[in-house]
Amino acid sequence: MKITKKNGRKTEVDKMEYLTSEKWHDDATISAYVRWINAMCPTVNSINTLQKTEELYTPYRTTFCMPKISDYSYTKVQAINKNNNTRYDAMETVITFANGDKVTVSCPIEEANQYTGFYTAIAKYAMGNSNKVNNAADYWINKFPKQKAKTEEKARRLKEQAKNIKRKKERRLQKEREDMEAKRLADKYKIKLIANKKYGVPLDFEP
């Protein structure tokens, strides 16, 4: 707002704000920044989605396309136990693929099954021809139930311990109430004795 004098009178004139080159540059920069943020939002969302996906899924392979099988065998072999370095009879499944890849799995002969060996070999190849499938099976079949049972047993003991603490607290409060009631009755009887001695009030008198 600008005040000017014209013919001795004060006149209020609105001061126009011209858009300078510097201000235009600032506005343009802000607009470009906003446009850039809006353009990046889908990318950020996709990255967040990818992170959540990685938390939910174990990326053994991004994509799995099994090549054709060119050869297969299921034979009896002599395997070695690495723990005690002893030999034992086992059934070995070998699958060879058209691209030259080969996967081998073995199982003690008393536990072996031809279909299970074939499926295990395919799963092992899908997981990069490593021991990941064995480790996963060992975890979910052997280790996880033991951990779950241990956790449940610990929770049961804690729950039982909390119940015992609660029962002890209730018994202690009950005893305190009984002691207070006994003390109140004893004090009341003492008062009656004093009244009987001084004023001859009967002991069975109730005010």
Side-chain angles (χ1 to χ4, degrees):
M1 187 70 65
K2 184 179 179 181
I3 300 175
T4 60
K5 290 185 179 181
K6 187 177 181 180
N7 298 329
R9 294 182 180 180
K10 292 182 179 180
T11 305
E12 294 181 355
V13 179
D14 291 335
K15 183 180 179 181
M16 297 183 64
E17 182 179 4
Y18 294 95
L19 189 64
T20 62
S21 59
E22 182 179 358
K23 184 171 179 55
W24 179 88
H25 177 75
D26 294 339
D27 292 343
T29 304
I30 294 173
S31 300
Y33 175 75
V34 172
R35 288 196 301 272
W36 180 79
I37 288 297
N38 293 334
M40 283 296 294
C41 282
T43 305
V44 173
N45 292 336
S46 63
I47 292 174
N48 293 336
T49 304
L50 179 61
Q51 290 175 349
K52 292 179 181 179
T53 304
E54 290 179 351
E55 293 174 359
L56 294 175
Y57 301 98
T58 303
Y60 294 112
R61 284 190 175 185
T62 305
T63 58
F64 173 67
C65 182
M66 189 182 75
K68 291 183 179 179
I69 298 175
S70 61
D71 193 16
Y72 163 78
S73 64
Y74 182 72
T75 56
K76 180 180 177 181
V77 296
Q78 283 285 316
I80 299 177
N81 190 338
K82 295 181 180 179
N83 294 330
N84 51 20
N85 199 25
T86 58
R87 292 182 177 272
Y88 62 94
D89 293 332
M91 297 303 296
E92 184 179 72
T93 301
V94 180
I95 298 178
T96 305
F97 297 93
N99 62 352
D101 292 341
K102 182 185 288 186
V103 60
T104 303
V105 296
S106 63
C107 181
I109 195 168
E110 61 273 8
E111 302 175 4
N113 180 277
Q114 192 167 358
Y115 279 94
T116 303
F118 186 89
Y119 300 148
T120 305
I122 296 298
K124 182 178 180 180
Y125 182 75
M127 292 188 175
N129 200 3
S130 65
N131 290 327
K132 290 180 180 179
V133 63
N134 292 335
N135 296 336
D138 183 60
Y139 173 77
W140 288 105
I141 295 173
N142 298 319
K143 295 180 181 180
F144 178 75
K146 293 179 181 178
Q147 293 178 359
K148 185 178 180 181
K150 186 177 180 180
T151 303
E152 290 177 350
E153 177 63 20
K154 184 178 180 180
R156 187 193 65 79
R157 288 199 305 267
L158 291 175
K159 188 175 181 180
E160 186 65 24
Q161 184 179 2
K163 288 183 179 179
N164 292 335
I165 293 174
K166 185 178 180 180
R167 284 194 292 266
K168 289 180 180 179
K169 183 178 179 180
E170 290 177 351
R171 287 197 297 266
R172 186 179 71 252
L173 293 175
Q174 180 64 24
K175 188 175 183 305
E176 289 178 356
R177 287 193 291 267
E178 292 175 355
D179 292 343
M180 290 177 63
E181 180 65 16
K183 185 176 182 302
R184 187 186 68 81
L185 294 176
D187 292 342
K188 184 178 179 181
Y189 183 73
K190 288 179 181 179
I191 293 173
K192 287 184 177 181
L193 285 177
I194 294 172
N196 178 264
K197 290 180 180 180
K198 287 187 175 182
Y199 309 107
V201 178
L203 294 176
D204 58 348
F205 173 77
E206 293 291 339

